[in-house]
Amino acid sequence: MQTPDKQLSDEQSREIAAIIREELARRRISRQTLAEQAKLSISTLEKALGGRRPFTLATTVRLEEALGVSLRKGADAPVVAVASNGNGDVAPDSLGAYSRRSMSWIAGAYVTLRPSFGEAGSIYAYRTEIAWDAMGSCYEFREAERQDAAYTQFGEVSVPNQSGHIYFVTNRNGQFRLITVSRPTIAGEMYGIINTLLAGRGSLLTPIAAPIAYVPMAGIAEPNYGRIAAGTPNYDLYRAHLQKIMDEPFAMFLQG
């Protein structure tokens, strides 16, 4: 008989994580929202979805109740099948009509770098994972290792032929965050601009734009995340990547 805190196997955990990711994409809800509905901490959910901690039976039951689907093989309720959008391995026209195969090089994990919004001179670092989403017939991105986990984002990857750039688009109930980056360099880095909202006091939100870099995990031996200040490990390397955006230039920032 299983106890409520029994850990599930690695294979079960991977299967459950895949179903949850599909449900999140289909319903267009954030991991934070699901964590709140399931009465879990966002840290617990992120670690389980990222494979850094196995699911427990108690956690799985809470998630099943929140989603209204079965997440376990052999459970009484069947797992809900998620239908594709009918495009197969080609993204919809609204995302550039690229094929899965033509963009396969983009899949993987990246160290993501931008200036810190809260501390001048520091750099904010987190991880971004890009993978094919069969349900949406497009590549999707998901952030992890964010110090401010409540602001973790995920969304769709758009690659139109006309501009030669890549767009990471987050759309939550009509509120957008847009990241525009270059095609990758020979080493796989992508450089560009993030346009988002800066959270201030109370409900104050201010539009803000900043340089952003996506560096393949293989390009950084021991990445560190969070707010990276001068003198800490990887600061000079991270700063060089951001400076490259200005020097090449991969993006331009104008003042009137």
Side-chain angles (χ1 to χ4, degrees):
M1 180 177 180
Q2 288 182 318
T3 58
D5 59 348
K6 178 179 176 62
Q7 290 186 345
L8 304 184
S9 69
D10 290 343
E11 182 179 358
Q12 286 177 307
S13 293
R14 286 193 295 271
E15 292 171 349
I16 289 169
I19 295 170
I20 291 173
R21 284 194 290 268
E22 289 179 349
E23 287 295 316
L24 288 171
R26 183 173 68 85
R27 302 171 191 221
R28 295 187 178 277
I29 62 174
S30 68
R31 296 185 181 191
Q32 179 68 40
T33 297
L34 176 58
E36 292 172 355
Q37 292 174 347
K39 296 181 173 57
L40 299 171
S41 71
I42 185 63
S43 175
T44 295
L45 182 59
E46 287 283 0
K47 288 178 180 178
L49 289 177
R52 300 189 304 280
R53 173 187 295 176
F55 283 89
T56 65
L57 182 57
T59 296
T60 304
V61 169
R62 288 190 180 189
L63 289 165
E64 287 175 335
E65 292 174 348
L67 291 169
V69 300
S70 172
L71 300 173
R72 292 164 289 162
K73 286 186 176 180
D76 292 337
V79 174
V80 173
V82 180
S84 75
N85 67 4
N87 284 3
D89 282 352
V90 178
D93 291 346
S94 60
L95 296 177
Y98 58 85
S99 70
R100 178 181 184 177
R101 184 175 180 181
S102 69
M103 290 291 295
S104 60
W105 49 264
I106 201 173
Y110 297 81
V111 179
T112 309
L113 309 170
R114 63 160 172 79
S116 168
F117 294 160
E119 183 177 296
S122 294
I123 296 168
Y124 192 68
Y126 53 94
R127 191 176 79 248
T128 299
E129 297 174 355
I130 300 176
W132 181 257
D133 174 20
M135 186 276 296
S137 289
C138 67
Y139 279 98
E140 66 171 9
F141 69 91
R142 293 181 179 275
E143 298 173 352
E145 301 289 353
R146 285 193 61 147
Q147 195 174 59
D148 53 348
Y151 295 97
T152 297
Q153 304 282 326
F154 66 93
E156 299 169 322
V157 179
S158 177
V159 192
N161 290 325
Q162 292 87 342
S163 71
H165 282 72
I166 299 165
Y167 302 86
F168 299 139
V169 185
T170 301
N171 178 3
R172 298 293 169 266
N173 301 315
Q175 180 171 299
F176 284 79
R177 189 195 71 171
L178 177 63
I179 296 174
T180 306
V181 296
S182 64
R183 292 294 181 120
T185 66
I186 193 169
E189 301 101 342
M190 295 180 286
Y191 298 110
I193 295 175
I194 176 173
N195 295 279
T196 187
L197 295 173
L198 174 63
R201 294 182 178 179
S203 60
L204 179 64
L205 296 172
T206 304
I208 188 170
I212 191 167
Y214 290 85
V215 183
M217 294 286 289
I220 301 177
E222 296 182 4
N224 50 331
Y225 303 107
R227 187 173 293 170
I228 313 300
T232 57
N234 285 323
Y235 177 83
D236 291 338
L237 175 61
Y238 289 177
R239 174 60 63 189
H241 279 294
L242 290 178
Q243 188 61 44
K244 190 174 183 178
I245 297 172
M246 312 294 192
D247 293 345
E248 291 296 326
F250 285 92
M252 299 178 67
F253 296 85
L254 303 179
Q255 293 183 344

